[in-house]
Amino acid sequence: MRAHNWSRLGALVGVVAVAVAAVAATAGGSPGPRLPRQAPTGDAFYRPNTLRSGRPGDVIWAAPIISPAGSRGWKMLYHSQALDGHDIAVSGVVVVPTAKAPPSGRPVISWAHGTHGLADACAPSKALDVAYRIPGIKDFIRQGDIVVATDYEGLGTPGEHPYLVGESEARGVLDIVRAVRQMPDSGASATTLVYGHSQGGQAALFAGQISPSYAPELHIAGVVAVAPVADVSAMVPMATTVPVLLGYDVMTAVGFRAAYPNVDLTAVLGPAVLSHLNVVDQRCSDDVVDFFAQYPPAQVVAHDPLDVPVLAQLLQQSTAGYVHTAAPQFIVQGDKDLLVPKTVTDRYIQRACGQGDQLVYRVYPGLDHITARDVSVPDVEAWLTARLDGQAAPSSC
């Protein structure tokens, strides 16, 4: 579940990002899509004083960011929908090729990031070079694809981030596709490919599951999940006895309470942890993990989450593979991954194949949680290109 913590660069983004992108936008080449409503700078970008009502995917405002050659990029605030149905603002980035769009429109790659933490400062879009950190983005842009990347609900924006709540993450992933399709001259088509790692792998799987009912106007042509947190109900108990994983359990408990207020943290976490929950709200994932690793496991997770009926049921709801996914899938796993063990992904494959899903399962010998993501990029790109070319998707089931 752990991903590189890049949010420390977030403080650089504000004026510098806007200035650099503004210069780039006046350089040669096609101007690309017109800028939506002008956005305020700094933290005000993420916190509108008044949120006008809107449909999921409606654009609130956007500001230019630096992006790879041949593209224009924006940081965007857009409407989404919380699990209880209320309208929320979610942030993310969109990167659009400057070349002329084909008559059929451009495909959209929706990237779902791995764990950064729950603190607002950890939102990926706050990093100056966020666009460059999306795997394969330069190749996608060269191929004429649009790339979008959500921050997820509550990460940067008001409210707490529902960490590892699969449907919440998936809504952010799908609604930013809706948002870029509303940008004038973006040329975005309904054809969508979802690509995620770790926490984002879970988000990608759930996007594939809920898209027919939540965003039926989108055509999900493929789902890629690298080392996905596909089985929260198995991984949370696994982490209760491993010091370097305890911080993930704390973040998960806080994340589920954010989505489901009936979750009682005192039923799971120890008193020492409850008195230090400000760490989760103020620090990014690496620091949160390091902080809680100093405590004996029994002081952090005082009770098995699966022994708390409400939480056990909710964890099960955020476990992927119990609903059929119509889109073909490409599942990536390193066999030396200690954060998302291969055995957990193996069980997802069994569930998904049992649902009649069409998927390829690629295991990379000797690779861990991060190296599997990095090494697999060419294979992921080839698989995605094949889907866009209309080739029949193979299956390991």
Side-chain angles (χ1 to χ4, degrees):
M1 289 182 285
R2 190 174 192 167
H4 290 304
N5 180 2
W6 294 310
S7 60
R8 294 186 178 98
L9 294 176
L12 298 174
V13 70
V15 176
V16 176
V18 172
V20 171
V23 171
T26 61
S30 171
R34 296 189 300 275
L35 188 67
R37 178 182 170 193
Q38 188 62 41
T41 59
D43 288 340
F45 178 94
Y46 296 88
R47 299 180 175 274
N49 290 330
T50 302
L51 181 62
R52 303 171 186 171
S53 62
R55 299 166 302 175
D58 282 354
V59 178
I60 299 171
W61 53 50
I65 61 171
I66 58 174
S67 63
S71 72
R72 298 288 182 262
W74 289 267
K75 180 170 65 171
M76 178 182 286
L77 197 68
Y78 61 96
H79 288 269
S80 189
Q81 188 179 69
L83 295 187
D84 64 5
H86 79 271
D87 186 18
I88 56 174
V90 175
S91 54
V93 298
V94 302
V95 183
V96 181
T98 54
K100 184 178 180 180
S104 59
R106 308 183 199 272
V108 182
I109 311 273
S110 190
W111 164 251
H113 65 79
T115 300
H116 281 62
L118 281 69
D120 286 340
C122 311
S125 69
K126 292 191 174 186
L128 176 63
D129 59 346
V130 56
Y132 290 87
R133 296 173 176 188
I134 299 172
I137 187 168
K138 293 181 180 180
D139 290 333
F140 294 139
I141 294 299
R142 277 195 291 267
Q143 293 171 180
D145 305 329
I146 292 172
V147 180
V148 301
T150 182
D151 286 336
Y152 307 132
E153 175 185 350
L155 194 50
T157 49
E160 195 127 42
H161 170 45
Y163 178 62
L164 293 186
V165 177
E167 185 163 351
S168 166
E169 299 164 347
R171 291 183 180 190
V173 166
L174 296 171
D175 286 336
I176 197 169
V177 178
R178 288 168 155 164
V180 77
R181 296 188 71 208
Q182 290 191 14
M183 289 181 68
D185 305 323
S186 72
S189 72
T191 300
T192 303
L193 296 152
V194 184
Y195 176 19
H197 169 243
S198 193
Q199 176 190 6
Q202 180 201 35
L205 295 178
F206 270 86
Q209 290 184 183
I210 74 169
S211 60
S213 58
Y214 184 75
E217 77 277 17
L218 301 181
H219 168 57
I220 307 299
V223 173
V224 176
V226 182
V229 185
D231 197 334
V232 185
S233 60
M235 292 190 62
V236 168
M238 287 171 53
T240 59
T241 58
V242 183
V244 296
L245 298 181
L246 291 171
Y248 294 111
D249 270 2
V250 176
M251 289 188 289
T252 301
V254 173
F256 271 74
R257 185 191 58 179
Y260 308 103
N262 60 331
V263 171
D264 180 7
L265 296 184
T266 64
V268 181
L269 304 177
V273 173
L274 292 169
S275 64
H276 288 98
L277 287 184
N278 62 316
V279 171
V280 176
D281 294 328
Q282 297 172 1
R283 305 186 192 181
C284 297
S285 56
D286 289 359
D287 290 340
V288 171
V289 168
D290 291 343
F291 180 85
F292 290 109
Q294 66 183 313
Y295 290 94
Q299 291 185 19
V300 178
V301 182
H303 307 284
D304 187 338
L306 298 187
D307 290 337
V308 181
V310 170
L311 187 54
Q313 180 181 3
L314 295 173
L315 291 172
Q316 184 72 12
Q317 290 176 11
S318 282
T319 293
Y322 290 106
V323 176
H324 171 63
T325 297
Q329 303 168 58
F330 184 38
I331 311 300
V332 171
Q333 179 68 43
D335 69 356
K336 300 301 181 184
D337 193 328
L338 300 179
L339 296 177
V340 179
K342 178 179 176 294
T343 54
V344 173
T345 305
D346 289 346
R347 288 197 289 270
Y348 168 73
I349 299 300
Q350 292 174 355
R351 292 194 301 273
C353 287
Q355 293 288 343
D357 292 1
Q358 191 174 26
L359 61 85
V360 169
Y361 184 29
R362 184 74 55 82
V363 177
Y364 290 78
L367 300 188
D368 62 19
H369 195 63
I370 299 301
T371 54
R373 178 198 63 192
D374 298 340
V375 171
S376 66
V377 169
D379 293 334
V380 168
E381 292 176 343
W383 188 88
L384 291 173
T385 298
R387 304 292 74 73
L388 292 176
D389 288 346
Q391 297 180 28
S395 182
S396 301
C397 293

